[in-house]
Amino acid sequence: MKRYRIAAIPGDGIGGEVISAGVEVLTALAKRQGNFTLAFDHFDWGGAYYKKHGRMMPANGRDLIKSHDAILFGSAGHPDIPDHITLWGLRLAICQPFDQYANVRPTRVLPGITSPLRHVKNRELDWVIVRENSEGEYAGVGGRVHQGSPLEAATDVAMFTRAGVERIMRFAFKLARSRPRKLLTVVTKSNAQRHAMVMWDEIAVEIAGEFPDVTWDKMLVDAMTMRMVMKPQTIDTVVATNLHADILSDLAAALAGSLGIAPTANLNPERTFPSMFEPIHGSAFDIMGRGIANPIGTFWSAVMLLEHLGEQPAADRLMQAIERVTADARFHTPDLGGRARTIDVTAAVIDALHGANS
Ligand code: NAD
Ligand code: MN
């Protein structure tokens, strides 16, 4: 019997609501599968912790979770605390030191869900966006001087390293090769950003040489938004910088029906530290505490967590259960135009786990 230890960090806002739903579903699934167990350790880090202790997580926080098999994360973001403090103090404080450099974001229109793109049939939108997750525009390089004076100045320097770009390109080409269409789009902005983005393009060409069986193309990020909307069927796997992919993946999530559905994995592919799985949405202040958060993004993230652990049959069973539930409009939360509550969706997925055949 395999025993996995999972660190659960709900964070703030609806983070707590969707993570407790996720833990419930994963626990039921492990019991149903019977060949592994999941032990959850819960960490109350985030906004409330900050108000008490002046920091988002304890100084030795990473030591407490570095030996876990995976991390299930909710959201960092509190109405009373500036966003850059919550983000850098918790989510990025885990992602960056744990070198979770590959952020993988699958997007599909799940059964029963309507894309806002009228002409899109379900199978025509099936993408995976790979986001560089360790450097680029979010490297944290920059500074601010002369605050409050008319001479005030500030910089955020986008920093790209050859090693960082090579490894994300290689990861993306490999992922593209594992998918049926073997098709990769490299997103860039090398017309306007003439240093780092030009290196990014050059490294893409070099790495492409290692993957002769992968078809690839290059697209400027602004044109990419148009292609996603106008010709979604021409896209399969996408690789983009930290900032570009952050924006494109929110668009992707919306085109697939709702931000509340979209999952993500922050992977350390070499497994030198645990990887982290989370819905892509944030704390959703406008709906927190009302019991109507869509937990599907968290459940799909749990599928990715199970795949990372190597528990593919369990991952498949959960994905089937999710699709069975989304297919039934009675279980759509308000973001999908329905009236279901988080607990209704959770109970329906747990029911479907027992019905699903695999
Ligand atoms: P958000 O994702 O919290 O919300 C955007 C919109 O989508 C809101 O209208 C919200 O109600 C809706 N929504 C999001 N998730 C939903 C779900 N599961 N079910 C139903 N509706 C859902 O983005 P925001 O408003 O830009 O940010 C709010 C806070 O969250 C900020 O503090 C931000 O920094 C933080 N944030 C954190 C993360 C993260 O930790 N990974 C990601 C994004 C935003
Ligand atoms: Mn984002």
Side-chain angles (χ1 to χ4, degrees):
M1 178 89 82
K2 284 233 176 85
R3 304 168 63 85
Y4 300 107
R5 283 180 66 212
I6 312 296
I9 308 174
D12 299 307
I14 63 169
E17 304 169 38
V18 294
I19 294 307
S20 66
V23 169
E24 213 180 306
V25 162
L26 277 167
T27 303
L29 176 61
K31 202 181 267 176
R32 173 73 179 79
Q33 292 299 108
N35 63 328
F36 64 90
T37 62
L38 298 171
F40 290 93
D41 291 319
H42 294 266
F43 297 90
D44 63 345
W45 304 340
Y49 188 96
Y50 181 91
K51 287 185 160 179
K52 239 188 272 165
H53 304 281
R55 49 188 307 149
M56 293 290 287
M57 64 192 264
N60 68 338
R62 283 189 300 272
D63 288 336
L64 302 177
I65 57 174
K66 72 173 185 224
S67 306
H68 283 74
D69 295 295
I71 304 163
L72 185 63
F73 188 85
S75 170
H78 190 283
D80 306 339
I81 308 172
D83 286 343
H84 66 276
I85 291 179
T86 52
L87 185 68
W88 281 93
L90 190 57
R91 188 173 169 274
L92 294 180
I94 296 171
C95 282
Q96 298 200 341
F98 280 1
D99 210 15
Q100 297 164 347
Y101 65 82
N103 183 202
V104 179
R105 304 184 158 202
T107 307
R108 257 185 316 125
V109 184
L110 297 183
I113 291 178
T114 314
S115 167
L117 297 177
R118 265 175 297 125
H119 56 284
V120 164
K121 299 189 199 70
N122 279 20
R123 292 280 160 72
E124 288 180 348
L125 199 162
D126 182 355
W127 305 334
V128 184
I129 298 178
V130 176
R131 168 179 175 185
E132 201 297 315
N133 211 32
S134 68
E135 53 176 35
E137 306 88 346
Y138 300 172
V141 181
R144 202 160 159 196
V145 293
H146 306 311
Q147 284 194 48
S149 110
L151 295 176
E152 180 163 359
T155 58
D156 272 297
V157 179
M159 189 194 67
F160 290 83
T161 64
R162 169 165 279 278
V165 178
E166 281 182 0
R167 67 185 184 175
I168 199 65
M169 288 294 171
R170 206 166 269 127
F171 181 92
F173 272 97
K174 244 185 232 167
L175 181 64
R177 184 160 70 184
S178 76
R179 288 170 53 86
R181 294 171 69 189
K182 300 189 196 308
L183 175 64
L184 178 69
T185 300
V186 175
V187 173
T188 184
K189 191 64 192 173
S190 49
N191 55 342
Q193 295 179 298
R194 59 189 182 158
H195 307 293
M197 287 289 89
V198 173
M199 181 179 81
W200 169 270
D201 291 1
E202 287 171 7
I203 292 173
V205 173
E206 288 169 29
I207 303 296
E210 300 171 17
F211 297 85
D213 52 335
V214 174
T215 309
W216 72 287
D217 57 31
K218 192 173 90 174
M219 194 105 217
L220 296 174
V221 64
D222 40 353
M224 188 65 183
T225 59
M226 203 165 77
R227 180 166 164 194
M228 286 168 69
V229 173
M230 305 304 287
K231 294 184 176 169
Q233 69 284 0
T234 68
I235 300 169
D236 188 80
T237 310
V238 176
V239 63
T241 69
N242 216 329
L243 171 66
H244 292 164
D246 187 4
I247 298 166
L248 293 180
S249 58
D250 271 30
L251 173 60
L255 296 178
S258 169
L259 195 53
I261 290 172
T264 182
N266 301 280
L267 298 179
N268 174 318
E270 289 76 30
R271 297 176 189 253
T272 45
F273 287 103
S275 295
M276 182 158 87
F277 302 83
E278 53 168 348
I280 85 166
H281 64 75
S283 301
F285 305 141
D286 51 340
I287 59 163
M288 67 184 180
R290 291 173 48 200
I292 55 167
N294 191 341
I296 296 289
T298 299
F299 298 160
W300 194 348
S301 302
V303 170
M304 300 181 82
L305 184 154
L306 292 162
E307 286 174 343
H308 183 72
L309 295 178
E311 297 297 340
Q312 193 63 49
D316 292 343
R317 181 186 295 277
L318 178 52
M319 199 65 220
Q320 278 178 29
I322 290 169
E323 296 194 6
R324 202 171 282 196
V325 168
T326 60
D328 187 338
R330 285 179 306 161
F331 300 120
H332 287 185
T333 41
D335 54 305
L336 294 172
R339 303 184 55 184
R341 303 177 60 76
T342 312
I343 51 169
D344 304 326
V345 185
T346 308
V349 168
I350 291 173
D351 272 353
L353 285 177
H354 294 281
N357 45 355
S358 81

